[in-house]
Amino acid sequence: MQPKHLEETDAIIENGVGEIYRGFFRLHQAGEIQEEYNQMGVILSMLMEDRQNLRTNYKVVDE
């Protein structure tokens, strides 16, 4: 079992991801497919850069 602070943090992340996908869904429903694609690319780039930063500065490895 995870400590309470980790459970709370995981819930924040899960809710945030849910909100992101809700936004994608709304763009898709509105026919804004290119904007949906562009927004996904921005988020992917940000996550990949942050992940690489963790590898480089904190020596984090894939499990």
Side-chain angles (χ1 to χ4, degrees), residues 5 8 12-14 16-18 25 30-31 33 36 38 41-42 44 47 50-52 55 57 59:
H5 72 280
E8 291 171 352
I12 290 168
I13 293 167
E14 288 173 11
V17 170
F25 179 75
I33 308 305
E36 177 185 12
N38 293 345
V42 168
L44 282 170
L47 288 171
D50 289 345
R51 195 167 190 241
Q52 184 60 41
R55 283 190 196 116
N57 294 319
K59 310 302 181 214

Side-chain angles (χ1 to χ4, degrees), residues 2-55:
Q2 291 183 332
K4 185 172 174 65
H5 72 280
L6 286 180
E7 289 178 13
E8 291 171 352
T9 303
D10 284 348
I12 290 168
I13 293 167
E14 288 173 11
N15 290 334
V17 170
E19 287 296 306
I20 289 168
Y21 270 92
R22 192 170 84 148
F24 291 154
F25 179 75
R26 286 188 175 189
L27 287 170
H28 198 86
Q29 276 189 320
E32 297 290 343
I33 308 305
Q34 185 66 51
E35 183 63 20
E36 177 185 12
Y37 179 84
N38 293 345
Q39 291 295 331
M40 284 180 181
V42 168
I43 291 168
L44 282 170
S45 294
M46 290 169 51
L47 288 171
M48 289 188 310
E49 187 175 318
D50 289 345
R51 195 167 190 241
Q52 184 60 41
N53 182 48
L54 291 173
R55 283 190 196 116

